[in-house]
Amino acid sequence: MALTATEKQKLRDIARELRLTVIDVMAWSGGAHVGGSLSCMDILTILYFKYLNIDPKNPQWEDRDRFILSKGHAAAGYIPVLAKRGYFPEETLKTFNHFGSPFAMHPDCNKVVGCDASAGSLGHGLSMAIGLGLGAKQLKKSWKTVCLLGDGECDEGSVWEAAMAGPRFKTDNVIAIVDRNHFMIDGGTEEVMNLEPFADKWKAFGWNVLQVNGHDFDQLDDALDQAWHAKDVPVVILADTVKGKGVDFMENNVLYHYASADSELCAKAKASIMKEG
């Protein structure tokens, strides 16, 4: 069922609040992978506030849906989402990347409540997701596994090994989403290592490919609804996004893959987010 105007506005409001928190985290921690955290925020918002069947009061619930942040450097975006969803107090985000904090530049599932998989070394998330999908089928469980990858991460050969395995084992309970923001740490993805024709590659491996605007909640909702009801073939959603989305001077700027900022720059970033609405 399509999103109502009220549902869509609620998701927009949540995503805006979370983008503001990403800027705070960048300040509190002394630096963060801000560009890729901002680009995937709309994706994380609709997953955690509409689709994922989870219970923050029971984080280890056996029948919960699983989520893997394969692009683990986006922890500055992911961990605030978990806090807002109720897994731990938002106040604790002020310790991000401080000594003794459970929150670091990459998520650790043994320390971060609600995190299903540790990440950081790129290229491993989809393999874990396929394994979880196979496990669910073996146990005859109905839960889903969603894996969010970065597009630069798709230079890793292990991603394509997992991509071969998904259709082979009919893991229709696994949903891959690629945050296609067209940038990686060294520059534009097509300048560093061509990914295109990206959709055709996934199709050749046997995936059902859906291409959407990763900042359009209607398109994300439609794609996720199709993915949630997939049969036999796994779905990959190629979500076209903007690096640094919401902060005008960060958008499509490789300098903000990782960055730190003083109070003046943070205030400027927040003003841009509020202006965009």
Side-chain angles (χ1 to χ4, degrees):
M1 183 180 294
L3 290 170
T4 66
T6 300
E7 288 174 324
K8 190 159 47 176
Q9 188 58 53
K10 181 180 179 180
L11 291 171
R12 286 173 176 162
D13 290 344
I14 292 171
R16 182 178 61 252
E17 290 172 18
L18 285 165
R19 284 191 168 94
L20 292 170
T21 304
V22 169
I23 302 304
D24 283 332
V25 166
M26 179 176 64
W28 294 329
S29 62
H33 293 88
V34 63
S37 294
L38 293 171
S39 67
C40 67
M41 190 53 74
D42 297 313
I43 299 167
L44 290 172
T45 297
I46 195 169
L47 283 171
Y48 272 89
F49 291 89
K50 180 175 181 183
Y51 275 93
L52 292 175
N53 185 25
I54 51 179
D55 181 2
K57 295 180 180 179
N58 184 12
Q60 296 302 315
W61 176 38
E62 184 179 349
D63 291 325
R64 72 189 185 282
D65 290 330
R66 272 67 168 175
F67 174 79
I68 296 176
L69 181 72
S70 192
K71 49 172 286 180
H73 54 283
Y78 173 51
I79 291 173
V81 171
L82 292 176
K84 189 164 185 62
R85 191 63 177 81
Y87 283 98
F88 41 82
E90 293 183 67
E91 181 73 13
T92 60
L93 293 173
K94 292 181 179 180
T95 71
F96 196 98
N97 208 42
H98 291 199
F99 181 77
S101 173
F103 314 130
M105 287 298 166
H106 302 90
D108 183 337
C109 67
N110 294 309
K111 296 179 180 179
V112 180
V113 180
C115 176
D116 291 311
S118 299
S121 181
L122 295 173
H124 300 294
L126 190 58
S127 295
M128 289 190 280
I130 297 299
L132 285 167
L134 287 170
K137 283 183 173 289
Q138 185 70 23
L139 295 169
K140 302 189 185 309
K141 296 288 187 177
S142 60
W143 44 268
K144 308 287 187 183
T145 299
V146 180
C147 179
L148 179 61
L149 303 100
D151 49 2
E153 177 182 9
C154 293
D155 287 348
E156 298 279 357
S158 52
V159 170
W160 300 103
E161 292 179 35
M164 281 193 290
R168 168 68 179 81
F169 295 109
K170 297 184 178 181
T171 54
D172 51 13
N173 55 358
V174 173
I175 300 162
I177 306 174
V178 181
D179 179 21
R180 185 71 168 108
N181 62 34
H182 304 273
F183 281 91
M184 52 199 299
I185 191 170
D186 292 327
T189 55
E190 304 314 295
E191 298 168 7
V192 177
M193 181 67 70
N194 288 352
L195 287 173
E196 297 297 343
F198 199 40
D200 290 342
K201 290 173 182 175
W202 286 95
K203 290 174 184 176
F205 277 74
W207 290 69
N208 180 11
V209 180
L210 304 176
Q211 296 180 270
V212 302
N213 177 341
H215 303 303
D216 185 313
F217 283 116
D218 287 318
Q219 291 187 32
L220 285 169
D221 183 60
D222 182 63
L224 286 166
D225 183 66
Q226 290 183 60
W228 234 260
H229 296 93
K231 296 296 182 184
D232 297 324
V233 177
V235 171
V236 59
I237 299 171
L238 304 184
D240 192 61
T241 61
V242 176
K243 189 96 166 183
K245 176 65 174 176
V247 180
D248 51 11
F249 60 89
M250 293 184 182
E251 289 189 353
N252 295 317
N253 189 340
V254 71
L255 295 178
Y256 288 95
H257 177 86
Y258 177 94
S260 58
D262 59 22
S263 58
E264 184 177 347
L265 198 65
C266 287
K268 183 180 177 183
K270 286 187 170 186
S272 180
I273 292 169
M274 292 303 295
K275 182 179 179 180
E276 182 170 293

